[in-house]
Amino acid sequence: MLKKKDRYNMAVVGATGAVGNEMISVLEERRFPIKTLRLFASERSEGVRLTYLDKDVFVEKLGEDSFKGLDIALFSAGAERSAVWAPVAAQSGCVVVDNSSQWRMDPKVPLVVPEVNPQDLKWQTGIIANPNCSTIQMVVVLKPIHDAARIKRVVVSTYQAVSGTGRKAMDELLDQTRDILSFKDPSSKVYPYQIAFNVLPHIDKFLENGYTKEEMKMVHETRKIMGDSSIRVTATTVRVPVFRGHSESVNIETEKKLSADEARAVLSVAPGVIVYDAPEKNIYPLPLYATGKNETFVGRIREDESIENGLNLWLVSDNLRKGAALNAVQIAEKLIEMAS
Ligand code: 25A
Ligand code: L14
């Protein structure tokens, strides 16, 4: 699909958003072999000056001809934009790595976490989906445990940062905190209730089965990425007043017994995972310390004493990095590795 080159013509669509911004930083940091970088966002941001490796790049508005001559585009402008523009890009021969929920469950679109299922990139036909942030950080940890002991069932509860919703939500948490501390009435526009000093058991829309879309994404995406529809997953996804870094409490039931020490050993050699687990020294993963890092941190590794073969874990990862921008760039890196 992708022709091998020394350097590639790239685009970031949604470049002014929380994820888009992070995509630009990750491309810089990893010295992605870029020939030209074009940045797109909505009309509102047309002409805005951003920088890439200290050079000015001006934001463009998307149009029918935007993708001509481009090799790879990283999309993070919301599902509605991806529905319209990803096929336009793919049609002009530009491979799309899409961060939205639009294409993830399409059977013709691979859903990829490079540490887990890089082989699925072989059957891509122009659009590759980047999974949901909460799913990504969970599967990098589930995969090595599944390989060692076969996972039967997963029960997960998330503690998700506001940056997952984008810039406006980060502003809302800051503004509400400031208002409350100065005795003003806080206003809520992005979330249905105040998020500052609060916890909301509600991420994305509610569905008919009583779950939210975010919860069902964790169920369906996990099975698709792991390539195993027999894994049972149930999720409760919760918003907490944290700017960056999603935390997850994960309970895993396996076919084979895995002791806490064996789980620690398996995870300590897993790619993209750092075991951070020394409770006697108060060492466990925290969103504040995962911010800006690329790995998924895992700690509080315990055997579930209520069942035969079970584990409890606590995971934290930067949702804007591994949960979104970094994973997308890693997919692009795999694509150029596989190009011929
Ligand atoms: O639908 P989804 O995919 O499930 O996700 C919805 C949102 O979640 C974020 C992302 O928000 C997305 O819009 N997101 C998606 N996947 C994610 C993931 N895996 C994820 N977050 C975490 N993990 P975002 O804020 O990061 O990015 C939004 C970007 O989309 C651009 N955009 C919007 N319309 C567009 C478009 N780009 C091209 N064509 C279009 N028609 C958007 O650019 C931004 O880059 P922008 O120009 O609309 O916004 C520029 C600045 O203006 C602020 N702003 C936005 N709305 C308003 C506003 N300011 C004032 N008033 C407003 N009404 C934005 O905050 C931005 O800073
Ligand atoms: O990518 O946290 O499917 O509000 C949509 C909801 C990302 C997180 C996705 C949130 C999610 C977002």
Side-chain angles (χ1 to χ4, degrees), residues 9-13 36-40 67 70 72-75:
N9 295 319
M10 300 275 299
V12 173
V13 178
T36 57
L37 178 66
R38 290 175 66 192
L39 302 178
F40 297 98
F67 301 97
L70 291 181
I72 305 171
L74 309 180
F75 272 61

Side-chain angles (χ1 to χ4, degrees), residues 113 115-116 131-146 151 153-158 214-223 225-226 231-237 246-252 267 270-273 295-298 313-317 322-323 327:
V113 177
E115 292 87 342
V116 179
N132 171 265
C133 34
S134 305
T135 310
I136 296 178
Q137 69 181 64
M138 184 169 76
V139 295
V140 293
V141 169
L142 293 184
K143 169 72 172 159
I145 293 176
H146 192 50
I151 295 176
R153 180 166 183 254
V154 176
V155 182
V156 54
S157 298
T158 68
E214 186 78 353
E215 288 161 349
M216 296 315 293
K217 284 179 235 171
M218 292 194 78
V219 175
H220 300 305
E221 294 182 20
T222 298
R223 292 184 181 148
I225 300 161
M226 305 270 287
I231 301 176
R232 284 173 289 161
V233 181
T234 187
T236 303
T237 57
H246 288 357
S247 307
E248 298 178 356
S249 159
V250 186
N251 175 263
I252 304 166
L267 292 170
V273 175
E295 294 83 6
T296 297
F297 296 85
V298 54
L313 318 167
W314 174 255
L315 314 179
V316 182
S317 195
K322 187 55 184 167
N327 198 71

Side-chain angles (χ1 to χ4, degrees), residues 294-336:
N294 289 341
E295 294 83 6
T296 297
F297 296 85
V298 54
R300 303 294 323 278
I301 303 170
R302 291 152 289 159
E303 283 157 44
D304 174 352
E305 295 176 345
S306 72
I307 51 173
E308 211 46 48
N309 304 327
L311 291 167
N312 280 310
L313 318 167
W314 174 255
L315 314 179
V316 182
S317 195
D318 184 333
N319 57 300
L320 295 182
R321 291 236 145 195
K322 187 55 184 167
L326 172 68
N327 198 71
V329 173
Q330 287 174 316
I331 290 174
E333 288 171 350
K334 281 275 170 230
L335 283 171
I336 64 175

Side-chain angles (χ1 to χ4, degrees), residues 45-212:
S45 302
E46 203 177 350
V48 165
R49 181 177 60 92
L50 298 175
T51 57
Y52 172 74
L53 291 175
D54 295 327
K55 283 193 291 281
D56 290 348
V57 185
F58 293 91
V59 175
E60 302 172 67
K61 169 179 113 181
L62 278 179
E64 290 292 331
D65 297 330
S66 294
F67 301 97
K68 292 236 166 83
L70 291 181
D71 301 304
I72 305 171
L74 309 180
F75 272 61
S76 180
E80 309 83 58
R81 263 73 61 185
S82 294
V84 175
W85 295 102
V88 173
Q91 273 295 315
S92 23
C94 171
V95 183
V96 173
V97 182
D98 181 39
N99 193 50
S100 82
S101 55
Q102 183 62 33
W103 302 98
R104 291 180 190 150
M105 293 315 294
D106 187 319
K108 293 188 290 299
V109 173
L111 181 65
V112 176
V113 177
E115 292 87 342
V116 179
N117 62 333
Q119 72 284 357
D120 284 334
L121 286 174
K122 287 194 206 128
W123 50 271
Q124 62 94 3
T125 58
I127 302 177
I128 297 134
N130 197 64
N132 171 265
C133 34
S134 305
T135 310
I136 296 178
Q137 69 181 64
M138 184 169 76
V139 295
V140 293
V141 169
L142 293 184
K143 169 72 172 159
I145 293 176
H146 192 50
D147 289 346
R150 279 211 81 74
I151 295 176
K152 284 169 41 180
R153 180 166 183 254
V154 176
V155 182
V156 54
S157 298
T158 68
Y159 304 67
Q160 297 184 219
V162 296
S163 53
T165 320
R167 277 215 166 131
K168 278 172 286 177
M170 297 172 82
D171 292 345
E172 181 152 302
L173 173 56
L174 191 65
D175 292 343
Q176 288 180 351
T177 307
R178 203 185 280 123
D179 285 347
I180 291 162
L181 295 180
S182 46
F183 308 102
K184 283 192 215 132
D185 279 337
S187 75
S188 305
K189 293 193 202 79
V190 178
Y191 298 122
Y193 297 98
Q194 178 186 318
I195 181 63
F197 307 98
N198 206 2
V199 162
L200 310 178
H202 174 186
I203 296 181
D204 212 338
K205 298 189 185 73
F206 278 100
L207 302 169
E208 268 187 14
N209 64 359
Y211 286 80
T212 61

